[in-house]
């Protein structure tokens, strides 16, 4: 037994062996590198460009039944606006047909009595019709039309030198994202969604792969401890996952120009915590599934859709029914989305970062306990 | 889980001298659940294996060999019973067991994307082999396995035999006191099998290692010091192989005939009363009588003489209960009269090659098959058998050369031409979640059988293959032997002229193999042309003619007798096919 | 005739293979129901109970009235009263409130004098969409307040006003937009998963070789494999349409013929793509990964959640390859706008084209894709 080491040295040697083996496999097998780097890259590009809620150049029908100076100044206001691409129509029927055939998304209708009503001080009515199929876009379009109209009203009365009889005006200050660029909040959220998927897929597939190729059996009859196998697996994929994370953060910052107002180290710390959760989830899946196919399927189902829908990345959590809101607390991405949106747009806001980080810590601990409980150095 | 310090356990073990057995099982049972069915893998097994010897665990697939080995390695918990490995309780203390046991699983446990050296390093790390002692140990292992020149090659690129030796080397990095090998010789060519055996013998002799190995090859049992027969989770017998054979003395005979077909003789003898088993053995028929007192059958034109018994005879006698005389084994094939000449060529292959990337899976092979012949394609895994087979069936285009099956290249042939062949894929592929009846119904329909005719053929299949009791069960949940029968039945639904059978006997027990060959013989006698692949060298004798393939090329071809004759020596007047293969390989290596 | 028999035998076998397997039965029933419910309830852009902070430095009646307007709105929920300037930042930073309404000290006095009195809202812009919607809600509450105040004081209103109407979805409920989309999304997922694994599963079990050596023609195999996907897709689609109408109360205004023509053509293209992925894949795992890699972009680029018009031009061009894009227009057209078959012709033919091309390619791949 003189040529066998023991105790701490043995543990160290076994861990080193596991980690070195995993690294060699990562470097030789393109699939894990693809999951860690190519998948996030492609998804981020696709989502980053494909998902945007900022409407620009909304096609709008302007119906002017009797053109005069008043209507010309109002239509001019719409034409100057960046939000609209107006088309002129002379009668409402033609405009309505255009709305039905999706050539325009909204109609602004100035009836033939508009000019004289306005001059007479009669409360002239402007008809606005929007296509309400996409309710969110319809609301935004409506808001933009209101904005253009109010500015025009203000200018109109200023020009005529009379006070606008408006009792209350609403001034607004939009913090963190005054330009209201939807990409600035969608992309940090996307990082959370994508990293949930890649992190879980990475570990879910690699442990299941050992089962499938029969190497797990050989591994288990060596003196290695189960926790050494798990740590030996976690460390390399943690490094790999963090690599993917940094790649997506760099792309967010420089490709999509999302400002990063918090500190890099806070970002790194919370990302590390989240990566631990995602890898732990994958590890648990693969311990329970034992085949790459099932593990991959489960990983996609339990990570991607919940992270997409229930994390608050695109749909607001506080507007969901209470039961659904309760479920969102089980989705780790929810906490990471909150952290990322804050770190990118607002800065190091410690109460929020700490609260969400402790939730992540708690979840990762639960996963580790479950893994410890479920992982046996046995085949049954 | 117990995290006992292995060294602490070691010293505890060393105190408990003298050890009596390397491994002992007391009343060990183990069941599994699969698809809602309870499967008893081991049923109250009692056994001990001695120190410093090779013990063979013999039994067909599904007998419980792997379960037993996994239990011994502490990878499974028994439902009941006690397991002691080198006097350590394997149930309570699996980690301690694992630090003194070497275990090679069925697929060798290698990382195919790591090199030979990296695999060794990894297992050395896991076993805590000190850096200082490594170079010597590696040198020793590489020399022993002959892998020295290949240390920087990826394990996935090694041949089957080399993988098997690397797997063995990895389990030996830190010399274990008990070595457990799960089917180390399955699917490997005879040369590699022989080399593995000499390594194992050496380990036992030089290092006093105890070895437990499982095998499906009955001839390997004779190389063990002790053999354990396992069947359906129970131990049938245990003892020295010679003792097994001894019980058969006086019951084994060899029958030979001057003229005529040996297959006819075999089927004749099979149904003779008093004969337990009749098997083609080389150019003769090996007979096992029900008891030493049974009178030896007398047949005109044939001579029957006593023969020395072998382990296999005892195995067959132990498994085969009473003779099933008069059983209608032969599927009744109503065949169109084939008024063709004897040398009517049904399958021809000329200079065919197949490349995958820059690797030649098959290179420049030619052979032809006559009508009504059983033609064998023999070789180890990876020799190119399956590639050849798939090209013949039109599943894979050829890279070069010409081939024809019944006058067609099946890759481009009309659907009608494909209707004349029957095909049985490897691993008896069937729709596993369809019932037996649904499978039969589907395959009958794809061959255009309808209504009354279809019902008739399905009834025939259920009858002739004794599948009726399984009619409503999912085909995936049947025992392997029944899957084989069903796959065979599906291939025969439309009464084909040509049969392609890809590894139809791998994994099934010797009895099922015998039944299978009986059916195939009947078909061939009825004029069906049969092309069959196998990696069992002894099955070569059942073929009329065969080719032996190695590394994508044809090593030799001809009738079994023609192939063996050049290797007859005064010392070995009747070499078997395996010895012939080894001699062929060695001959090729000497004259490159 | 024999063609029909072959196809019938194959399709029966495919059905049995799918329906007798517990896991694939579950795939057909479990996820669609769960997704329908979660999507139906969670995927909404409508804002309710926006957490609002109030910072009122004025003690007059006018400010109290304005705040009561906010309190009465279903969109807002006042959760915090702020006393000092410094309290605003942590409130917004910590995401306790999305918005803080600040009424200045001389608000009521100005209002009584008839002057214009400004109020200020501070909005958390981290989620710009939510911020914009919240701001719009606040704006309409103020407008409403103004109209009432002016009316009571007998002041003249503004010289013009907007009469806004939304067609097809007068209450602007996002559910009406999302749920018809789910019909498309879920039928795509189900048919893709069934078909994308069907050839790969047989390849893995070696039964595909067995099929290819039978006298079946590739076309027959293709149709036999496509049929179950189509039938299951139509059943599944009908079920989801039923739930959308009965459970979620989505109006179905157009005729069913237009809807089912769209569903049929869409399934044709989905099955085609699925079989194409399947014949490219060697293992089920590759099939699953392929299905996923098609599904994610197909959903994102379909206009399911975010409008295609907002995407960059290059990406918009890419969406023409996505069958879901066309089907979503058909679905929303028939459900909400009552569109007719003629109006949707431009959506039908691209789906048919994608379907035929992918099916043809899949059929070719059956025989030519060898390992």
């Amino acid at each position: 037994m003189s040529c066998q080491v023991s105790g701490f040295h043995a543990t160290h040697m076994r861990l080193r062996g596991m980690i070195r083996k995993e690294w060699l496999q990562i470097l030789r097998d393109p699939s894990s590198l693809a999951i860690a780097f190519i998948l996030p890259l492609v998804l981020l590009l696709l989502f980053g460009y494909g998902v945007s809620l900022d409407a620009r150049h909304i096609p709008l029908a302007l119906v002017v039944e009797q053109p005069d100076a008043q209507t010309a100044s109002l239509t001019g206001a719409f034409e100057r606006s960046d939000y609209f691409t107006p088309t002129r129509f002379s009668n409402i029927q033609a405009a309505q047909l255009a709305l039905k055939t999706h050539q325009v998304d909204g109609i602004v209708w100035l009836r033939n009595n508009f000019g004289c009503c306005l001059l007479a001080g009669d409360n002239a009515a402007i008809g606005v019709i929007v296509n309400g199929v996409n309710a969110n876009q319809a609301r935004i379009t409506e808001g933009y039309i209101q904005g253009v109209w109010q500015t025009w009203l203000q200018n109109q009365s200023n020009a005529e030198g009379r006070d606008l009889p408006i009792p209350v005006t609403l001034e607004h200050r939009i913090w963190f994202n005054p330009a209201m660029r939807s990409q600035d909040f969608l992309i940090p959220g996307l990082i959370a969604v994508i990293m949930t998927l890649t992190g879980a897929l990475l570990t879910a597939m690699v442990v299941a792969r050992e089962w499938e190729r029969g190497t797990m059996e050989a591994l288990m009859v060596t003196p290695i401890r189960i926790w050494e196998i798990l740590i030996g697996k976690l460390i390399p994929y943690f490094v790999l996952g963090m690599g993917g994370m940094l790649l997506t953060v760099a792309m967010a910052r420089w490709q999509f120009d999302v400002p990063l107002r918090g500190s890099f180290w806070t970002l790194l710390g919370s990302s590390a915590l989240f990566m631990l959760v995602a890898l732990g989830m994958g590890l648990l899946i693969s311990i329970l599934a034992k085949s790459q196919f099932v593990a991959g399927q489960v990983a996609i189902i339990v990570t991607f859709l919940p992270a997409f829908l229930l994390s608050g990345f695109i749909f607001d959590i506080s507007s969901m029914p209470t039961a659904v809101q309760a479920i969102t607390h089980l989705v780790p991405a929810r906490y990471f989305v909150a952290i990322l949106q804050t770190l990118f747009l607002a800065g190091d806001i410690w109460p929020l970062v700490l609260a969400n980080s402790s939730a992540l810590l708690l979840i990762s601990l639960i996963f580790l306990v479950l893994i410890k409980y479920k992982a046996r150095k046995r085949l049954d | 889980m117990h995290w006992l310090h292995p060294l602490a356990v070691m010293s505890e073990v060393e105190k408990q001298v003298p050890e009596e057995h390397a491994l002992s099982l007391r009343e060990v049972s183990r069941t599994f659940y699969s698809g809602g069915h309870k499967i008893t893998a081991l049923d109250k097994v009692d056994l001990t294996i001695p120190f410093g010897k090779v013990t063979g665990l013999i039994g067909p697939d599904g007998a419980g060999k792997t379960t037993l080995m996994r239990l011994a390695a502490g990878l499974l918990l028994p439902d009941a019973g006690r397991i002691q490995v080198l006097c350590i309780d394997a149930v309570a203390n699996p980690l301690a067991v694992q630090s003194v046991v070497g275990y090679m699983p069925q697929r060798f446990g290698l990382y195919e994307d790591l090199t030979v050296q990296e695999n060794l390093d990894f297992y050395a790390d896991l076993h805590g082999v000190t850096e200082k002692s490594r170079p010597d140990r590696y040198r020793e292992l590489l020399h022993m396995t002959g892998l020295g020149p290949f240390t920087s090659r990826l394990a996935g690129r090694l041949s089957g035999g080399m993988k098997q030796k690397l797997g063995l080397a990895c389990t030996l990095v830190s010399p274990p006191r008990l070595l457990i090998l799960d089917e180390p010789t399955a699917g490997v060519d005879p040369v590699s099998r022989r080399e593995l055996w000499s390594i194992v013998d050496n380990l036992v002799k030089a290092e006093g290692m105890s070895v437990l190995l499982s095998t499906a090859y009955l001839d390997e049992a004779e190389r063990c010091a002790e053999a354990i027969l396992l069947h359906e989770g129970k131990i049938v017998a245990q003892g020295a192989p010679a003792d097994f054979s001894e019980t058969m003395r006086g019951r084994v005979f060899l029958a030979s005939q001057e003229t005529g077909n040996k297959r006819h003789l075999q089927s004749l003898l099979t149904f003779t009363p008093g004969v337990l088993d009749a098997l083609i053995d080389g150019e003769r028929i090996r007979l096992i009588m029900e008891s030493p007192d049974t009178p030896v059958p007398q047949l005109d034109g044939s001579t029957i003489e006593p023969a020395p018994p072998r382990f296999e005879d005892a195995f067959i006698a132990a498994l085969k209960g009473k003779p099933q005389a008069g059983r209608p084994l032969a599927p009744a094939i109503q065949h169109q009269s084939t008024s063709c000449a004897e040398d009517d060529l049904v399958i021809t292959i000329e200079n065919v090659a197949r490349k995958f990337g820059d690797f030649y899976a098959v290179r420049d092979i030619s052979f032809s098959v006559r009508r009504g012949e059983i033609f064998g394609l023999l070789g180890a895994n990876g020799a190119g058998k399956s590639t050849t087979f798939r090209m013949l069936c039109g599943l894979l285009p050829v890279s070069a050369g010409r081939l024809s099956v019944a006058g067609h290249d099946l890759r481009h042939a009309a659907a009608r031409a494909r209707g004349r062949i029957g095909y049985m894929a490897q691993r008896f592929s069937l729709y596993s979640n369809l019932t037996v009846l649904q499978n039969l119904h589907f395959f009958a329909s794809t061959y255009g059988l309808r209504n009354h005719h279809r019902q008739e053929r399905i009834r025939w299949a259920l009858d002739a293959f004794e599948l009726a009791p399984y009619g409503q069960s999912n085909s995936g949940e049947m025992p392997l032997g029944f899957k084989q029968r069903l796959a065979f039945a599906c291939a025969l639904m439309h009464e084909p002229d040509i049969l392609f059978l890809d590894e139809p006997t791998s994994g099934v027990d010797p009895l099922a193999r015998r039944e299978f060959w009986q059916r195939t013989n009947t078909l061939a006698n009825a004029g069906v042309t049969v092309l069959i692949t196998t990696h069992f060298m002894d099955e070569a004798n059942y073929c009329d003619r065969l080719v032996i393939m190695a590394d994508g090329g044809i090593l030799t071809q001809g009738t079994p007798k023609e192939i063996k004759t050049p290797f007859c020596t005064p010392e070995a007047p009747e070499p078997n096919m395996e010895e012939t293969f080894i001699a062929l390989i060695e001959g090729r290596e000497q004259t490159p | 005739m024999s063609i029909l028999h072959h196809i019938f035998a194959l399709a029966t076998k495919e059905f049995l293979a799918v329906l007798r397997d517990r896991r694939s039965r579950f795939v057909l029933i479990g996820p669609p129901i769960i997704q329908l419910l979660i999507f139906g309830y969670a995927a909404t852009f409508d804002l309710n109970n926006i957490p609002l902070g109030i910072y009122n430095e004025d003690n007059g009646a006018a400010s109290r009235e304005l705040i009561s307007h906010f309190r009465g709105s279903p969109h807002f929920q006042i959760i915090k009263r702020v006393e000092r300037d410094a309290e605003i930042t942590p409130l917004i930073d910590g995401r306790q409130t999305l918005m803080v309404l600040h009424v200045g000290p001389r608000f009521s006095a100005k209002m009584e004098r008839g002057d214009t009195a400004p109020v200020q809202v501070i909005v958390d812009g981290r989620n710009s969409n939510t911020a914009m919607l919240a701001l719009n809600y606040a704006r309409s509450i103020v407008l409403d307040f103004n109209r009432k105040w002016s009316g009571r004081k007998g002041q003249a209103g503004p010289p013009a006003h907007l009469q806004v109407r939304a067609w097809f979805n007068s209450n602007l409920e996002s559910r009406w937009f999302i749920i018809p989309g789910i019909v498309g999304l879920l039928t795509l997922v189900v048919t893709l998963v069934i078909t994308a694994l069907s050839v790969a599963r047989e390849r893995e079990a070696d039964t595909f070789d067995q099929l290819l050596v039978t006298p079946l023609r590739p076309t027959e195999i293709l149709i036999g494999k496509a049929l179950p996907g189509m039938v299951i897709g139509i059943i599944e689609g009908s079920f989801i349409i039923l739930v959308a109408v009965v459970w979620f109360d989505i109006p179905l205004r157009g005729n069913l013929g237009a809807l089912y023509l769209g569903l049929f053509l869409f399934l044709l293209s989905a099955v085609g793509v699925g079989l194409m992925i399947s014949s490219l894949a060697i293992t089920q795992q590759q099939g699953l990964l392929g299905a996923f890699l098609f599904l994610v972009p197909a959903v994102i680029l379909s206009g399911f959640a975010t409008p295609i018009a907002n995407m960059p031009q290059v990406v918009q061009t890419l969406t023409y390859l996505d069958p879901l894009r066309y089907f979503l227009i058909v679905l929303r057209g028939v459900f909400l706008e009552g569109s007719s078959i003629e109006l949707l012709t431009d959506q039908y033919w691209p789906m048919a084209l994608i379907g035929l091309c992918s099916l043809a390619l899949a059929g070719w791949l059956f025989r030519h894709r060898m390992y």
Side-chain angles (χ1 to χ4, degrees), chain A residues 204-233:
Chain A
M205 308 284 266
V206 293
V207 179
R209 185 171 63 193
E210 295 235 10
W211 280 112
E212 233 161 56
R213 296 188 184 168
T215 47
M216 194 55 112
E217 204 178 330
L219 203 59
M220 285 201 166
V221 274
T222 66
I224 196 166
R225 263 65 154 185
I226 192 77
W227 64 266
E228 290 167 352
I229 297 180
L230 297 177
I231 303 248
K233 291 249 166 221

Side-chain angles (χ1 to χ4, degrees), chain B residues 364-539:
Chain B
D364 199 25
I365 58 169
S366 308
F367 62 80
S368 54
V369 183
R370 286 193 285 267
R371 184 175 306 279
E373 223 177 15
I374 299 183
F375 192 91
L377 275 173
L378 269 76
N381 290 348
K385 301 188 304 282
S386 284
T387 310
T388 311
F389 207 76
R390 294 171 55 77
M391 287 191 291
L392 274 173
C393 296
L395 293 169
L396 203 63
V398 296
S399 304
R402 274 184 340 109
L403 50 79
S404 100
V405 175
H408 301 276
D409 179 349
L410 285 183
R411 193 155 175 78
H412 306 291
R416 189 180 301 277
R418 287 201 300 273
R420 290 181 57 198
I421 66 165
Y423 174 82
M424 182 170 162
Q426 250 176 41
R427 297 185 286 137
F428 322 130
S429 25
L430 299 156
Y431 295 101
S432 56
N433 57 359
L434 262 58
T435 66
V436 168
L437 274 173
Q438 285 164 343
N439 267 297
L440 289 171
H441 195 278
F442 172 67
F443 282 108
S445 305
T446 58
Y447 283 102
L449 306 186
R450 290 218 273 286
N451 308 333
H452 176 67
H453 192 199
R454 182 167 61 199
Q455 287 312 320
E456 194 182 300
R457 289 303 289 173
I458 291 176
R459 229 180 356 255
W460 164 82
L462 291 176
D463 262 14
F465 290 88
E466 292 165 77
L467 288 165
Y470 282 98
Q472 295 300 333
S473 14
N474 276 4
S475 66
E477 288 160 12
M478 292 195 299
L480 200 72
F482 282 88
K483 283 188 198 164
Q484 183 215 33
R485 287 192 213 167
L486 176 59
F488 203 12
C490 288
L492 289 173
M493 284 311 270
H494 57 297
E495 301 163 60
D497 305 339
I498 306 166
L499 258 182
F500 287 93
L501 308 171
D502 198 1
E503 304 246 339
T505 51
S506 74
V508 300
D509 67 63
L511 293 184
R513 273 169 64 189
R514 277 171 164 68
E515 267 181 43
F516 166 81
W517 277 105
Q518 226 149 16
R519 292 193 165 103
T520 311
N521 285 342
T522 321
L523 286 166
N525 290 341
V528 177
T529 311
V530 181
L531 187 77
I532 190 165
T533 70
T534 174
H535 62 250
F536 289 105
M537 288 294 156
D538 56 335
E539 292 189 342

Side-chain angles (χ1 to χ4, degrees), chain A residues 239-257:
Chain A
V239 174
L240 205 63
M242 287 306 281
M245 176 81 81
L246 288 179
L247 176 77
T248 50
V249 167
M251 276 179 59
R253 179 69 194 79
W254 286 290
Q255 176 74 30
F256 292 102
D257 286 322

